[in-house]
Amino acid sequence: MKQGVQGSPRVPAQQRTVNVDVDVARERGTALPGARGEHTHCERPMPQPRAVVQRSSVRGQILDALRTALVAGELKPGEVYSAPVLGERFGVSATPVREAMQQLALEGAVEVVPNRGFRVVERGARELAELAEVRALIEVPVMLRLARAVPAERWAELRPLAEETVRAASSGCAATYAESDRAFHRAVLSLAGNEQLVQIAEDLHRRSQVRHGGADLVADAAQHAALLDALIARDLDVVRVLVGEHFAGAS
């Protein structure tokens, strides 16, 4: 090995420059780039992260808006709607609309029409009757069990929800009533403490909701107060009859 002037190994010029830089940095109390593991290959500084758009939130809002439009009759059964056109209507891109429509397709509210969009499903009398039967098979036994166990004061707490359905029905807005109706039934079934039951029942409820006239809404809403009265009194026969009539009227 070749020796330097003072007998030490010869150090390449590039390495000597690095060593000098390190010594200078130590004297100044600073650190060289890369001393803590950073990349030093002419990287540009990273900009501050921008707020992440919550697309799922947009999709959820569009899904709610589409459900309202379906119940209100703004989206007509049998008609085909494209995601871009609906996106323009709601002021969003086609992507969240398409995702929301796909969810509605899973719920049976619309069906996919290849290369065109989504067709609103028209539920016939037989399908609505079948949905009412399934709802009764699930909810009647639960309500009868709750009637035996839930104290009167707990049922009384649901009175404002029942009254809200009456106000919503009086407004004549099917979409407003649909939401208040679901809220009342959801509160009743939540007393069972079974979240899976609540979700399944709400899905069936959505499938069975169709546009009604104002008189039908008022009569339907009146049954909520009567049902609470029967539950408070623990009159199981009346509970059974009222729930059965309620679901039959919904179809």
Side-chain angles (χ1 to χ4, degrees), residues 164-181:
E164 178 58 32
T165 65
V166 174
R167 286 191 292 270
S170 300
S171 73
C173 177
T176 301
Y177 177 72
E179 181 59 35
S180 64
D181 186 37

Side-chain angles (χ1 to χ4, degrees), residues 30-63:
T30 60
L32 285 173
R36 292 185 302 274
E38 295 94 336
H39 296 290
T40 58
H41 303 295
C42 301
E43 288 188 7
R44 295 179 179 179
M46 291 294 292
Q48 291 295 322
R50 300 175 62 183
V52 179
V53 176
Q54 297 296 330
R55 195 175 74 181
S56 60
S57 176
V58 175
R59 179 182 58 191
Q61 294 176 35
I62 297 301
L63 180 59

Side-chain angles (χ1 to χ4, degrees), residues 152-169:
E153 56 269 20
R154 292 295 303 278
W155 293 122
E157 293 173 359
L158 304 186
R159 188 74 68 181
L161 292 175
E163 294 171 349
E164 178 58 32
T165 65
V166 174
R167 286 191 292 270

Side-chain angles (χ1 to χ4, degrees), residues 26-107:
R26 286 173 178 171
E27 290 177 0
R28 294 177 179 176
T30 60
L32 285 173
R36 292 185 302 274
E38 295 94 336
H39 296 290
T40 58
H41 303 295
C42 301
E43 288 188 7
R44 295 179 179 179
M46 291 294 292
Q48 291 295 322
R50 300 175 62 183
V52 179
V53 176
Q54 297 296 330
R55 195 175 74 181
S56 60
S57 176
V58 175
R59 179 182 58 191
Q61 294 176 35
I62 297 301
L63 180 59
D64 290 340
L66 289 172
R67 283 171 171 161
T68 298
L70 286 168
V71 175
E74 297 172 7
L75 300 181
K76 306 295 184 183
E79 294 290 328
V80 177
Y81 298 90
S82 70
V85 170
L86 289 173
E88 291 181 3
R89 171 179 174 175
F90 294 114
V92 298
S93 69
T95 299
V97 175
R98 189 174 293 110
E99 292 173 345
M101 278 295 198
Q102 289 170 348
Q103 175 60 36
L104 290 174
L106 292 176
E107 297 175 3

